[in-house]
């Protein structure tokens, strides 16, 4: 998938996640929305190309902040199993204040992904400009 489409996907996810900032949803609706959002994020192949990429994300943004025991390894082999386990936990056991903290951590992660891809685009563009200018200077 191209960098532009990944940047568009990250921007789309960030705008969806920003719905939790306003007062349009009550706490129960916010919890349900976030569980669905988190499930779709785990299934998203644009954000997480490989299942092993999900492990790092979950450890730093879900398991450690909530002080949960790590998931069994078999769950990481199936995105649907992992997503449903997390969604169920969010719906049944997460308080609204923890949900807001998870939202912030997820937004920080998406911002870091966005920054990383924009830097790669700038680097590719500057490399292309350097190559082109070097080629033009050698032509003289």
């Amino acid at each position: 998938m191209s960098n532009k489409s990944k940047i568009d996907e990250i921007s789309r996810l960030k705008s969806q996640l920003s719905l939790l900032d306003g007062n349009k949803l009550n706490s129960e609706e916010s919890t349900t929305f976030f569980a669905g959002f988190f499930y779709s994020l785990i299934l998203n192949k644009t954000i997480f190309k490989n299942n092993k990429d999900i492990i790092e994300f979950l450890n730093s943004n879900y398991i450690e902040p909530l002080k949960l025991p790590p998931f069994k390894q078999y769950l990481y082999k199936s995105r649907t199993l992992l997503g449903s386990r997390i969604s169920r936990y969010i719906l049944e056991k997460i308080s609204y204040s923890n949900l807001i903290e998870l939202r912030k951590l997820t937004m920080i992660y998406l911002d870091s992904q966005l920054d990383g891809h924009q830097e790669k685009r700038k680097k590719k563009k500057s490399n292309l400009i350097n190559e082109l200018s070097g080629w033009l200077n050698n032509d003289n």
Side-chain angles (χ1 to χ4, degrees):
M1 183 159 279
S2 70
N3 279 341
K4 182 168 176 30
S5 60
K6 186 163 185 174
I7 291 171
D8 291 342
E9 181 70 12
I10 292 171
S11 299
R12 185 185 67 79
L13 290 170
K14 285 178 60 177
S15 69
Q16 286 179 350
L17 199 54
S18 66
L19 283 174
L20 295 174
D21 289 337
N23 57 359
K24 293 181 180 182
L25 303 173
N26 63 29
S27 63
E28 186 178 319
E29 292 169 335
S30 295
T31 304
T32 304
F33 175 81
F34 189 73
F37 173 83
F38 217 80
Y39 185 82
S40 68
L41 182 65
I42 295 216
L43 294 180
N44 195 322
K45 291 269 189 173
T46 306
I47 304 300
F48 304 111
K49 276 190 172 182
N50 302 316
N51 287 5
K52 61 184 171 188
D53 299 336
I54 298 172
I55 296 171
E56 180 184 320
F57 167 74
L58 287 178
N59 283 336
S60 61
N61 295 303
Y62 185 77
I63 293 172
E64 289 175 9
L66 296 176
K67 297 174 179 58
L68 299 174
F71 293 122
K72 305 248 182 201
Q73 286 301 314
Y74 76 89
L75 282 174
Y76 292 111
K77 295 181 186 205
S78 170
R79 290 177 187 237
T80 53
L81 283 175
L82 185 62
S84 61
R85 177 74 54 96
I86 292 169
S87 292
R88 189 180 76 203
Y89 190 84
I90 289 171
L91 290 171
E92 293 175 357
K93 299 182 180 177
I94 297 239
S95 67
Y96 184 72
S97 59
N98 284 340
L99 183 123
I100 296 302
E101 184 63 30
L102 288 175
R103 187 207 64 80
K104 287 178 187 175
L105 291 171
T106 305
M107 190 67 89
I108 290 169
Y109 178 81
L110 291 174
D111 285 336
S112 71
Q113 291 290 308
L114 189 62
D115 292 342
H117 280 284
Q118 287 176 340
E119 286 177 21
K120 285 180 186 177
R121 275 181 91 186
K122 286 179 185 177
K123 191 173 184 179
K124 280 184 181 179
K125 188 175 182 179
S126 68
N127 285 343
L128 181 64
I129 291 171
N130 289 340
E131 287 178 24
L132 185 60
S133 65
W135 179 73
L136 291 174
N137 289 335
N138 287 338
D139 197 34
N140 289 335

